[in-house]
């Protein structure tokens, strides 16, 4: 019909997709309950769906996607989310990643039609950002710039509104999260402040040694890298937004991994940063001796599947292989027993 605007599947996604579940999680009877936003239930499997949808939707409205090609530096979930949204919008996407990204992530991006470039692991995310910037400049592609794009944090205003609506008490004493770009924690902190809530934003950090070969997305999980000298939305907020209050809470890397496995056993198919966030939230409540009715919120950022080839799953792989061998041995024993019985039957 003339004059009718035909909506695309992406339009419906932007309009209808919100309100991931918020659930109270208690792993031990003697610790504080933590309200956890299940962001791994977003379509591509992570909280980064929110920023991908928001940033590209806004860029499209502003005429910034005329080249039809998007590029971003990302070691994980942001690349997958952007590949997902670009596929829905009919755009091409190129991800630039440091060497060492898990194969599952690359497979997922390629399945969604994306291309990728790898930079030497020694150059890290800074090297990936420089290469993405060069590609954008040379080809007139849209460069997302998640580490400095304020729309990253703005995307999480809606996340904050959802949390306020979903919390029975409609009050939040603390929100706890690790820092990658800083967009999630800064966006939530801004939202809660604008809604006149007295909420403390707690930055989760690791202490101890990161195990070789373990691929965890949240950059604050990697001691000695990024956070000390890497500008992002969190460091910018610290310098420029005096109205936001942040505190840091350290937890050990081993505790983060142990907590992740306990969440699996509880029925949450999450990545290691979820265990990290939850452990930091519980430890913060204990350290501060928070009242029993205090409300602490965190996010479960992504799903377990993108970590299958990493060290996080080595014991699971070993256990599975052992179970398979045991089943095969049992089958072989049954077959041998049956053969013996058959031979005895013939002799009779």
């Amino acid at each position: 019909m003339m004059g009718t605007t035909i909506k695309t599947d992406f339009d419906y996604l932007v309009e209808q997709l919100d309100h991931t579940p918020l659930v109270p999680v208690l792993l031990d009877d003697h610790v504080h309950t933590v309200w956890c936003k299940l962001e791994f239930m977003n379509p591509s499997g992570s909280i980064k769906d929110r920023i991908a949808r928001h940033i590209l939707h806004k860029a499209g409205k502003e005429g910034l996607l005329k080249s039809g090609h998007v590029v971003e530096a990302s070691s994980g979930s942001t690349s997958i989310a952007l590949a997902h949204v670009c596929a829905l919008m009919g755009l091409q996407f190129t991800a630039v990643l440091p060497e060492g990204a898990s194969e599952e992530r690359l497979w997922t991006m390629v399945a969604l039609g994306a291309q990728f470039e790898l930079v030497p692991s020694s150059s890290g995310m800074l090297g990936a950002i420089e290469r993405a910037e060069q590609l954008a400049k040379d080809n007139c592609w849209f460069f997302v710039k998640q580490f400095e794009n304020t729309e990253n944090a703005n995307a999480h205003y809606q996340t904050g509104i959802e949390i306020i609506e979903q919390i029975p008490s409609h009050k939040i004493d603390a929100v706890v999260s690790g820092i990658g770009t800083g967009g999630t924690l800064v966006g939530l902190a801004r939202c809660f402040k604008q809604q006149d809530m007295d909420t403390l934003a707690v930055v989760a950090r690791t202490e101890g040694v990161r195990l070789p070969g373990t691929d965890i997305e949240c950059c604050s999980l990697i001691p000695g890298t990024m956070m000390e000298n890497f500008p992002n939305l969190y460091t910018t907020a610290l310098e420029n937004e005096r109205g936001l209050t942040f505190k840091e809470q350290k937890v050990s890397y081993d505790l983060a991994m142990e907590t992740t496995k306990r969440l699996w056993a509880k029925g949450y198919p999450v990545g290691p940063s979820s265990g990290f966030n939850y452990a930091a939230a519980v430890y913060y409540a204990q350290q501060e001796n928070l009242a029993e009715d205090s409300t602490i919120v965190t996010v479960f950022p992504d799903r377990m599947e993108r970590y299958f080839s990493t060290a996080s799953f080595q014991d699971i792989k070993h256990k599975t292989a052992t179970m398979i061998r045991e089943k095969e041995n049992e089958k072989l024993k049954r077959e041998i027993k049956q053969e013996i019985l058959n031979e005895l039957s013939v002799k009779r």
Side-chain angles (χ1 to χ4, degrees):
M1 188 165 59
M2 294 295 292
T4 301
T5 300
I6 300 176
K7 290 186 178 181
T8 66
D9 44 6
F10 176 70
D11 294 324
Y12 283 104
L13 186 70
V14 170
E15 290 176 3
Q16 299 182 41
L17 193 64
D18 56 12
H19 285 79
T20 55
L22 181 75
V23 298
V25 178
L26 182 66
L27 292 185
D28 295 293
D29 292 339
H30 62 282
V31 300
H32 206 289
T33 296
V34 179
W35 287 84
C36 302
K37 188 76 164 153
L38 307 187
E39 290 297 292
F40 63 85
M41 295 182 72
N42 279 299
S44 84
S46 85
I47 195 170
K48 299 300 184 180
D49 280 23
R50 291 182 182 268
I51 70 170
R53 292 196 308 268
H54 179 82
I55 291 174
L56 293 186
H57 184 58
K58 188 171 186 293
K61 284 185 173 181
E62 295 175 352
L64 301 177
L65 301 177
K66 293 178 181 178
S67 70
H69 206 123
V70 176
V71 63
E72 178 59 332
S74 165
S75 62
S77 289
T78 300
S79 287
I80 294 173
L82 286 168
H84 165 68
V85 174
C86 283
L88 287 171
M89 296 179 71
L91 301 168
Q92 291 182 288
F93 174 62
T94 297
V96 184
L97 310 88
E99 293 172 339
S102 69
E103 291 181 333
E104 297 92 328
R105 297 182 183 192
L106 301 181
W107 295 337
T108 304
M109 283 186 279
V110 171
L112 290 169
Q115 299 176 346
F116 65 86
E117 283 197 21
L118 300 176
V119 300
S121 57
S122 58
S123 67
M125 280 304 299
L126 283 175
I129 290 171
E130 290 172 359
R131 177 56 180 158
E133 187 173 23
Q134 189 64 50
L135 287 170
K137 181 179 179 181
D138 292 346
N139 300 285
C140 297
W141 294 348
F142 176 71
F143 184 16
V144 175
K145 299 181 181 179
Q146 61 172 328
F147 287 93
E148 61 184 83
N149 191 335
T150 56
E151 294 304 325
N152 178 342
N154 291 345
H156 290 293
Y157 187 89
Q158 174 60 31
T159 317
I161 294 298
E162 289 177 28
I163 291 171
I164 294 171
E165 292 174 349
Q166 291 169 317
I167 284 282
S169 64
H170 301 294
K171 77 178 183 71
I172 300 154
D173 296 293
V175 55
V176 183
S177 178
I179 291 291
T181 64
T184 299
L185 190 60
V186 170
L188 292 176
R190 284 178 183 162
C191 174
F192 297 152
K193 180 175 176 56
Q194 291 173 20
Q195 296 297 313
D196 296 321
M197 306 190 76
D198 186 18
T199 304
L200 178 65
V202 181
V203 180
R205 301 289 189 110
T206 53
E207 55 186 1
V209 179
R210 181 174 186 254
L211 298 179
T214 301
D215 184 10
I216 297 185
E217 178 154 327
C218 182
C219 299
S220 60
L221 276 167
I222 310 174
T225 67
M226 278 204 175
M227 293 308 301
E228 287 75 22
N229 54 15
F230 195 89
N232 54 43
L233 295 168
Y234 169 62
T235 57
T236 301
L238 277 180
E239 294 173 2
N240 302 319
E241 298 186 52
R242 301 301 178 189
L244 298 182
T245 303
F246 295 95
K247 184 173 181 176
E248 295 191 2
Q249 177 63 63
K250 290 186 177 182
V251 294
S252 72
Y253 179 86
D254 289 342
L255 178 60
M257 295 308 303
E258 177 190 341
T259 305
T260 301
K261 292 171 183 177
R262 294 188 65 193
L263 288 172
W264 294 343
K266 189 81 170 177
Y268 296 100
V270 295
S273 54
S274 298
F276 175 54
N277 284 350
Y278 183 87
V282 169
Y283 196 62
Y284 169 75
Q286 292 174 330
Q287 291 289 99
E288 298 297 318
N289 196 27
L290 295 185
E292 190 174 332
D293 62 348
S294 298
T295 303
I296 304 177
V297 170
T298 192
V299 296
F300 285 176
D302 63 4
R303 296 184 65 84
M304 61 160 58
E305 291 89 337
R306 57 199 64 182
Y307 300 94
F308 283 168
S309 66
T310 71
S312 306
F313 269 85
Q314 289 308 306
D315 57 342
I316 300 296
K317 289 180 182 178
H318 178 73
K319 181 178 180 180
T320 304
T322 300
M323 292 173 68
I324 291 173
R325 285 195 300 270
E326 289 175 351
K327 296 296 182 183
E328 289 175 342
N329 289 337
E330 290 174 5
K331 180 181 178 183
L332 182 59
K333 288 177 182 178
R334 287 196 301 270
E335 290 175 348
I336 293 173
K337 182 179 179 180
Q338 187 60 49
E339 286 180 8
I340 294 172
L341 291 173
N342 291 341
E343 289 178 6
L344 292 173
S345 177
V346 171
K347 290 179 180 179
R348 287 174 186 169

